[in-house]
Amino acid sequence: MENSVTPTHCPYCALQCGMNLTPTPDGTVEVSERTDFPVNRGALCGKGRTAPAVLASSVRLTTPLVRSAGTLVPATWDEALDRIAEGLSRTRTEHGPDACGVFGGGGLTNEKAYTLGKFARVVLGTSQIDYNGRFCMSSAAAAGIKAFGLDRGLPFPLEDIPRTGCVILVGSNLAETMPPSLRFFSELRENGGTLIVIDPRRTRTAEQADLHLAPRPGTDLALALGLLHLIVAEGRVDEAYVAERTVGWEDARAAAMAHWPEYVERITGVSVPQLRETVRMFCEPENAMVLTARGPEQQSKGTDTVGAWINLCLATGRAGRPLSGYGCLTGQGNGQGGREHGQKADQLPGYRKLDDPAARRHVAEVWGVDPDSLPGPGRSAYELLDALGTDIRSLLLMASNPVVSAPRAAHIEERLRSLDFLAVCDVVLSETAELADVVLPVTQWAEETGTTTNLEGRVLLRRQAITPPENIRSDLRVMHELAARLGVEKGFPTDPEEVFEELRRASAGGPADYSGITYRRLVEENGVFWPCPATDGDSSGNGDGAGSGGASPDAGASPDAVGASPDAGAAPMRTPGSGDAAPGDDALDGPHPGTPRLFLDRFATPDGRARFVAVSHRAIAEEPDDEYPVLLTTGRVVAQYQSGAQTRRVDELNAAAPGPFVELHPRLAERLGAAEGDPVAVVSRRGRAVAPARITTTIRPDTVFMPFHWPGEGRANTLTNPALDPTSRMPEFKACAVRLEAVES
Ligand code: SF4
C-alpha cells in the first residue's frame, strides 16, 4: 500500500470523483488523474485536487481533548472515551435514553452511518438520532417516495444526460458545486439538446444554458404549476402514458389549471412568453429530464415543489422511460448512502421504515436484539438540535458542524452550549468541536476504507492509501470502544468490510438492497448501482474474506420493500434495452448486475404506477414586508465546501474564496449607498450578519445572496429561517426576509 498507486474517490461532494493517490515521503498523498471512473474521467475541481492538504494540516487534531477548568486540554484515548461513556451513561440514568442525542453527517461512509444508527438504537436505546443530510435533499427524497415509491438521487447514470433532448435544471449551480459534471451538459448541447436553468441568479451554470429563468426565490412551485397548465392547455399531455403508468392525474390537472400563466408570471416574475418557450423546449424532443437541487428543495414547501416538477415529467411521459426522468442532484459525499442505512430519524438500514413491524423484525434479527427493544422514530435534524439542553441533555456528534451549517445558527449554538455533555469526533477543531466537553481526532478519507453511494445510486469503494498518524483512530473504532464501555461487547466491529457484510444482510430485501454487493465487486466493477439483491447464483456472499457471511438466502424476495410488490426484491425495475440485464436472462444465474436505471418497467409502488400529487402554490414562510423588504437566498462557492471545516484549512482554497460576501444588484446597492467591497449588514428576525458587498447585475434587484461556508460575523445561517417542510422536515434555507443596513467601514 505505502508505495503503490491507490485508485479511490474524493472526500467531498456527491459526484464522488475518482482519483489516484500516491503516498509521499511526508506521510500524505499526491493526487493524480484517474481516467477509468466514468463520472469524472479524470477531471477534478480544486477541492478534490487539494484534499490532501487537510491530511497534513498544521491545525489537524492529533490527540483527544477533554475540557478541564473550561479549557480543552490533551488527554489519553482512555481518559477521553471514559469521559464520553460516563457523560452518556449519566444522562441515560438521570433522564432516560431519549435524553441522549446522536447527530451524524452526510460525509460518513455507509459503514459508519450504519454503525452510528445501530449504536444509537442498540447501545444508547435512543430514538433521538438524525443527520445533516436532512438539510440537504430530504424534500426530494420525500417527493420521490410519494411519486415513485422509492428515492434514489438519480434513477439513471449521468452518462444518459448527453443523450436526452432537453434538461431543466432547477435550483442547481453545478459550475460551483460539481464542476466536472458540467461536461455532461456541454455534451448534451453538442448533441443538439437544450439546457434550461432555473435560478434567481444568473450563475456560471445559467450562463451556459439555452434559456435561463430567474424566478423570485421560493416560487418554483408556482412556476412548475404554470408550466403544467400550459402543457395541458397546449395539448401536450401524453395521455396514453398517463393512463397506463400513473394514478391521480385528474386532481393534479385540476390544481395546475388553477394556475394561469399570467397569475404565475405575477408570482414568479417569469414572463408568459418565457413560460411558453420552456414548455416548447421541454416537450418537443422525444426525451427530456428535470433535475432539482437545493433551490426548490430547501423550502418549507420543498416536498410539494419537487412533487410539482415530478408531475411535469409524469404528464409528459418523461419518467420511467429510457433517457427521460426526474432526478435529484444530491449534495454531500455520501448524502445518498447516509440516508439509506439508519442514521436518519425514521429509518433502518436498507431504506426501511423504522415504524414498519416487518422491517424492525428483519433488522433486529441481524442485530441479535428483540424488535421491541428498538426505539421508534425520533426528531428531525433541526428539531433535535432545537431540543438540546432541554429534552436532550447529551449529544454525540460525528462529521457535522451545525454551528455554521444549521439554520438560525446563533440559536443552535446557544442550544449546544446549554448541553450537559457534548462529544464531537472530527479531524479539525471545528466551530462545533470548540464547544465540546470531549473531542476525538479521527481518520480521514485517504487513511481508511469504506463505501459511499454517489448521486447516481452507484455504490463505490473508497480505499485506504496511507497509514493514519499515530494516536488517530477511526470512527468505527470509537463506536466499538464506546459500545464496550457502555456494556455492549459484541456487534461493533472495527473492520469496515466486516461492517459492510453485516450491512448487506441488514439491507437484504429492503428498497436499498445492497445484499448482492461485495468489496470485491466494487473493485472489479468500479462501483455497483443499487438495488442489487443477492441471487441464488450469487457466489460472492461468503468466501470474500469478509468475515460475517453473505446475504440471507431469501434476500431478494422480502415483502417489506417500501411501496414495492411482494416480489419487488427480484430486480423489478430493470428493463431490457436499458443497458441493464433483463429479468429472466442469464444474468440472474450469476450475481445480480445492479440497477443503473430504475422504473423502466414499473415504479416501486404497490401497483407499479407512479403517483401524481395534487399541489398548489403557497407563499414562503416569511414574505418580505416593510421592516424586512428584501429576500435572502444562500448557497455555495466553488472553492469551499459546506461549513468549510476542511476547505477553510486549505491555503489555495482560502486564497480563491477568503470569506463571505453579500451579492446584491446595483439598484439595491445604490439605495443603500454601498460601493463594491463596502461592509453591508444583512438583518433578519433571527440575527445580523456583516460581509463586504459584491455588486452585480446577475441577481434580481429584490434578492441578495450569501454563501454559507463561514462562521463569525459573516455567518449566513445566523439569518436563515428554520421553518420546516411538513413532510420532509427540511428547513427553509433558500428564502427569508431581510433588510440591509450600511455599516461604517
Ligand atoms: Fe470532489 Fe465534488 Fe470536486 Fe469531484 S466535484 S473533485 S467529488 S468536490
Side-chain angles (χ1 to χ4, degrees):
M1 178 176 70
E2 291 297 338
N3 292 313
S4 58
V5 173
T6 303
T8 189
H9 297 273
C10 175
Y12 296 120
C13 84
L15 211 52
Q16 285 295 283
C17 293
M19 56 170 61
N20 284 327
L21 299 183
T22 308
T24 55
D26 67 355
T28 175
V29 289
E30 191 176 275
V31 171
S32 59
E33 232 180 42
R34 179 182 168 196
T35 53
D36 69 330
F37 188 59
V39 168
N40 64 312
R41 291 192 213 146
L44 295 171
C45 77
K47 296 185 289 289
R49 198 170 33 72
T50 60
V54 189
L55 296 167
S57 169
S58 60
V59 296
R60 180 168 184 187
L61 293 169
T62 54
T63 184
L65 302 172
V66 298
R67 193 163 295 278
S68 173
T71 308
L72 284 170
V73 296
T76 66
W77 272 94
D78 279 341
E79 284 167 348
L81 289 164
D82 286 348
R83 281 275 289 268
I84 298 175
E86 279 165 27
L88 294 170
S89 270
R90 194 177 318 114
T91 293
R92 202 169 47 171
T93 305
E94 291 176 4
H95 302 283
D98 274 355
C100 294
V102 176
F103 200 82
L108 293 174
T109 61
N110 290 320
E111 291 79 357
K112 293 179 188 181
Y114 170 83
T115 303
L116 193 61
K118 182 178 177 184
F119 180 87
R121 287 156 183 137
V122 172
V123 178
L124 298 177
T126 181
S127 65
Q128 300 302 306
I129 173 170
D130 210 54
Y131 82 125
N132 63 19
R134 175 82 67 174
F135 298 158
C136 177
M137 64 327 104
S138 53
S139 294
I145 289 170
K146 275 189 187 183
F148 306 131
L150 186 74
D151 151 52
R152 193 183 84 183
L154 297 180
F156 42 74
L158 284 162
E159 68 199 42
D160 283 2
I161 289 172
R163 296 188 292 142
T164 191
C166 174
V167 175
I168 304 182
L169 205 50
V170 192
S172 171
N173 186 6
L174 292 169
E176 304 272 350
T177 56
M178 296 178 176
S181 70
L182 281 183
R183 137 178 101 76
F184 296 104
F185 299 90
S186 310
E187 289 172 14
L188 164 75
R189 298 184 69 215
E190 282 160 23
N191 292 343
T194 54
L195 175 64
I196 301 170
V197 170
I198 296 174
D199 197 306
R201 304 158 64 215
R202 195 172 76 240
T203 61
R204 284 167 49 208
T205 311
E207 275 169 6
Q208 302 190 25
D210 298 280
L211 178 62
H212 170 218
L213 309 181
R216 195 167 171 268
T219 62
D220 315 76
L221 172 53
L223 184 62
L225 284 158
L227 295 174
L228 186 55
H229 180 110
L230 282 172
I231 284 168
V232 175
E234 295 178 8
R236 295 182 186 269
V237 174
D238 185 337
E239 302 285 356
Y241 173 95
V242 168
E244 191 190 335
R245 298 204 58 188
T246 71
V247 296
W249 169 232
E250 280 312 314
D251 287 346
R253 179 183 171 284
M257 294 319 283
H259 293 76
W260 288 90
E262 293 75 12
Y263 172 52
V264 169
E265 178 180 302
R266 280 203 303 280
I267 296 169
T268 63
V270 176
S271 70
V272 174
Q274 282 183 312
L275 295 174
R276 288 193 190 284
E277 179 63 0
T278 305
V279 166
R280 187 193 66 74
M281 288 169 66
F282 183 66
C283 292
E284 281 187 354
E286 190 181 343
N287 303 301
M289 296 173 177
V290 173
L291 305 178
T292 66
R294 305 304 79 77
E297 298 165 14
Q298 289 180 326
Q299 297 184 23
S300 60
K301 52 185 170 172
T303 305
D304 282 359
T305 302
V306 175
W309 287 103
I310 292 175
N311 285 351
L312 213 64
C313 292
L314 294 176
T316 52
R318 272 87 192 280
R321 279 178 169 171
L323 305 180
S324 280
Y326 161 78
C328 157
L329 296 156
T330 302
Q332 293 194 78
N334 197 31
Q336 181 68 46
R339 70 184 185 258
E340 297 164 3
H341 296 299
Q343 66 172 329
K344 197 156 171 262
D346 56 350
Q347 283 176 358
L348 287 170
Y351 224 142
R352 289 183 158 92
K353 296 291 286 178
L354 189 50
D355 57 6
D356 172 359
R360 294 169 68 88
R361 275 198 304 278
H362 174 89
V363 174
E365 193 182 336
V366 174
W367 289 352
V369 299
D370 181 346
D372 292 338
S373 72
L374 297 177
R379 291 177 174 88
S380 73
Y382 181 78
E383 292 164 296
L384 190 158
L385 294 172
D386 191 34
L388 300 181
T390 54
D391 293 353
I392 299 174
R393 314 293 312 181
S394 289
L395 184 71
L396 173 64
L397 184 142
M398 278 185 178
S400 188
N401 189 13
V403 167
V404 177
S405 62
R408 197 186 173 197
H411 169 72
I412 294 306
E413 185 175 338
E414 232 174 75
R415 305 294 349 132
L416 283 157
R417 287 181 193 279
S418 71
L419 280 164
D420 294 345
F421 182 79
L422 172 63
V424 173
C425 301
D426 212 326
V427 300
V428 293
L429 197 63
S430 70
E431 289 71 22
T432 306
E434 281 175 18
L435 308 180
D437 298 286
V438 180
V439 183
L440 299 180
V442 289
T443 46
Q444 299 188 44
W445 103 113
E447 301 161 349
E448 59 187 14
T449 291
T451 61
T452 59
T453 305
N454 82 346
L455 76 173
E456 306 166 288
R458 191 191 305 246
V459 186
L460 306 160
L461 188 64
R462 265 203 215 144
R463 276 166 275 190
Q464 182 179 2
I466 49 169
T467 306
E470 218 180 310
N471 216 26
I472 302 288
R473 295 185 184 175
S474 73
D475 293 301
L476 290 179
R477 185 159 170 206
V478 166
M479 287 185 274
H480 169 87
E481 299 199 19
L482 286 177
R485 280 169 168 79
L486 291 163
V488 181
E489 300 284 345
K490 288 189 178 161
F492 289 88
T494 57
D495 173 30
E497 187 169 8
E498 198 177 333
V499 175
F500 190 78
E501 287 300 305
E502 186 182 303
L503 181 159
R504 291 176 60 198
R505 288 186 288 127
S507 75
D513 190 333
Y514 283 36
S515 60
I517 303 175
T518 63
Y519 272 23
R520 188 180 67 197
R521 284 191 65 181
L522 294 178
V523 172
E524 289 173 354
E525 299 173 34
N526 217 347
V528 176
F529 290 82
W530 70 260
C532 180
T535 64
D536 287 345
D538 190 348
S539 60
S540 57
N542 295 311
D544 271 342
S548 61
S552 56
D554 62 349
S558 172
D560 60 0
V562 172
S565 60
D567 60 352
M573 292 162 284
R574 293 181 301 155
T575 296
S578 65
D580 309 338
D585 70 10
D586 289 343
L588 294 184
D589 292 337
H592 189 289
T595 315
R597 295 170 184 85
L598 296 169
F599 313 137
L600 297 185
D601 292 330
R602 68 195 305 282
F603 294 97
T605 53
D607 59 9
R609 292 170 178 234
R611 269 58 177 152
F612 279 99
V613 180
V615 292
S616 292
H617 163 70
R618 60 182 187 275
I620 55 173
E622 191 179 66
E623 284 286 352
D625 56 17
D626 290 347
E627 204 180 347
Y628 299 97
V630 177
L631 283 164
L632 168 72
T633 191
T634 62
R636 288 170 48 187
V637 296
V638 67
Q640 298 289 351
Y641 181 69
Q642 308 295 42
S643 80
Q646 293 138 293
T647 50
R648 283 188 277 113
R649 272 77 184 178
V650 179
D651 291 344
E652 184 181 328
L653 299 178
N654 276 336
F661 55 87
V662 181
E663 189 178 288
L664 73 168
H665 192 275
R667 265 187 262 161
L668 210 46
E670 195 184 338
R671 280 214 301 276
L672 193 64
E676 178 77 12
D678 283 355
V680 169
V682 184
V683 184
S684 79
R685 288 182 175 85
R686 290 151 294 282
R688 183 177 200 264
V690 178
R694 192 175 283 186
I695 301 169
T696 172
T697 54
T698 58
I699 191 165
R700 293 173 55 95
D702 58 2
T703 301
V704 295
F705 166 83
M706 288 185 76
F708 63 81
H709 308 290
W710 290 273
E713 190 183 47
R715 179 173 62 184
N717 276 318
T718 299
L719 307 166
T720 47
N721 188 353
L724 299 180
D725 178 280
T727 306
S728 69
R729 318 304 286 166
M730 166 76 90
E732 192 153 71
F733 287 98
K734 284 298 179 198
C736 70
V738 296
R739 69 167 178 267
L740 305 183
E741 293 173 357
V743 176
E744 292 297 317
S745 44

